[in-house]
Amino acid sequence: MKKIWIAIICILFVSNSLGCKTKDVNHKEDKNMVEYSEELQAMGDQFQLPKEGEEIAVLHTNHGDIKIRLFEELAPKTVKNFKDHIKEGYYDGIIFHRVIKDFMIQGGDPTGTGMGGESIYGEGFENEISELFHARGALSMANTGQPNSNGSQFFIVQNSKVDDTVLTQMDDLAKDGKYPEVNAKAYRELGGTFHLDGKHTVFGQVFSGMNVVDEIANVETGEMDKPVKDVIIEKAEIVVYK
């Protein structure tokens, strides 16, 4: 009987070690945190650190870790799709199949071609457009360009500069109350891809590992913007921030 109990305890220990429980992440030990200005953090929740106890996504790539805050209240269907895929191991071992420097890095297709992948709902699902926008570091859904076509593919905005003429126009519109002030400030401070706003669902923001995103964006690419050497998501996890 004693041997049986020891075996049961060992099984439970192994199960927990393999990730049956959501892991905790201590951000105090993180050396790759993104430094968003205090003013920008105060203006928009998109640029704040996750709250203690909040679930975040971590993409462990062969270039380093990318940590992402998810906005479940603003994009519930999209975040559930992303989280469930991660928990099922859907993204483990797949590549960033499309990388464009000064634009974005794209992954989430298990075929690695840019033509595959599906949602947890079994079909394409609708955009969830909110006040979140495509500033540098934004996590957004890729789609076919057609309505209700979101699947499993996503991209992270890497561009760090917006044209000065466009920024001036944003500032002027913001002063007149015709454009969100936080958008204008973020695009000026961080960069981004403003032309995608309203067309794709933003559902997360990188708060650690933009150095990794930049490194990936600078790899050599070939046909169809595919990296010559595979950039791999070795494992994706949902963990608790503390």
Side-chain angles (χ1 to χ4, degrees):
M1 180 64 71
K2 184 177 180 181
K3 290 182 179 179
I4 294 174
W5 277 111
I6 291 174
I8 291 172
I9 291 169
C10 288
I11 290 170
L12 290 172
F13 176 78
V14 171
S15 295
N16 287 336
S17 299
L18 290 175
C20 292
K21 294 195 301 182
T22 304
K23 296 182 180 179
D24 292 348
V25 171
N26 190 338
H27 71 276
K28 294 178 182 178
E29 301 173 357
D30 194 332
K31 298 179 181 179
N32 293 316
M33 300 287 282
V34 180
E35 295 183 2
Y36 294 119
S37 70
E38 290 184 5
E39 185 178 358
L40 196 55
Q41 290 184 54
M43 293 175 71
D45 189 51
Q46 185 170 342
F47 306 104
Q48 295 175 6
L49 288 177
K51 298 175 178 62
E52 188 167 335
E54 187 175 326
E55 288 190 337
I56 63 167
V58 182
L59 305 181
H60 302 285
T61 81
N62 59 339
H63 287 258
D65 291 350
I66 303 170
K67 299 179 183 179
I68 307 166
R69 187 180 185 194
L70 303 172
F71 300 97
E72 199 157 4
E73 291 185 3
L74 295 173
K77 198 165 185 178
T78 308
V79 171
K80 177 174 174 54
N81 181 66
F82 191 65
K83 277 186 170 183
D84 284 6
H85 270 328
I86 286 177
K87 292 174 182 178
E88 293 166 1
Y90 189 88
Y91 294 131
D92 294 353
I94 69 174
I95 64 173
F96 280 96
H97 60 270
R98 186 176 179 226
V99 168
I100 303 177
K101 184 180 178 181
D102 299 325
F103 182 24
M104 58 88 215
I105 63 174
Q106 184 171 330
D109 174 9
T111 72
T113 65
M115 303 297 290
E118 62 179 9
S119 76
I120 62 169
Y121 309 109
E123 58 185 2
F125 65 97
E126 66 275 12
N127 288 345
E128 295 179 300
I129 305 301
S130 68
E131 65 262 33
L132 301 173
F133 57 101
H134 291 84
R136 172 174 159 84
L139 172 69
S140 187
M141 287 298 290
N143 58 41
T144 66
Q146 299 299 317
N148 308 320
S149 63
N150 293 301
S152 65
Q153 294 188 41
F154 60 86
F155 63 92
I156 299 173
V157 178
Q158 186 265 336
N159 185 41
S160 62
K161 184 173 177 57
V162 176
D163 184 79
D164 286 338
T165 301
V166 174
L167 291 172
T168 299
Q169 293 173 346
M170 288 180 179
D171 290 338
D172 290 342
L173 289 171
K175 289 176 183 177
D176 293 336
K178 298 178 181 179
Y179 190 73
E181 186 179 357
V182 63
N183 293 41
K185 183 168 184 59
Y187 282 128
R188 181 172 289 280
E189 283 192 14
L190 307 174
T193 54
F194 65 92
H195 59 282
L196 298 181
D197 291 346
K199 300 175 183 177
H200 295 263
T201 301
V202 177
F203 64 103
Q205 183 74 27
V206 174
F207 68 89
S208 173
M210 278 305 296
N211 57 317
V212 177
V213 175
D214 286 335
E215 184 175 311
I216 293 172
N218 279 277
V219 301
E220 182 183 357
T221 57
E223 189 176 354
M224 302 294 290
D225 302 308
K226 184 176 181 178
V228 173
K229 294 183 179 179
D230 285 349
V231 178
I232 306 167
I233 300 173
E234 295 175 335
K235 185 173 182 59
E237 294 184 290
I238 297 297
V239 299
V240 175
Y241 183 85
K242 66 176 184 177

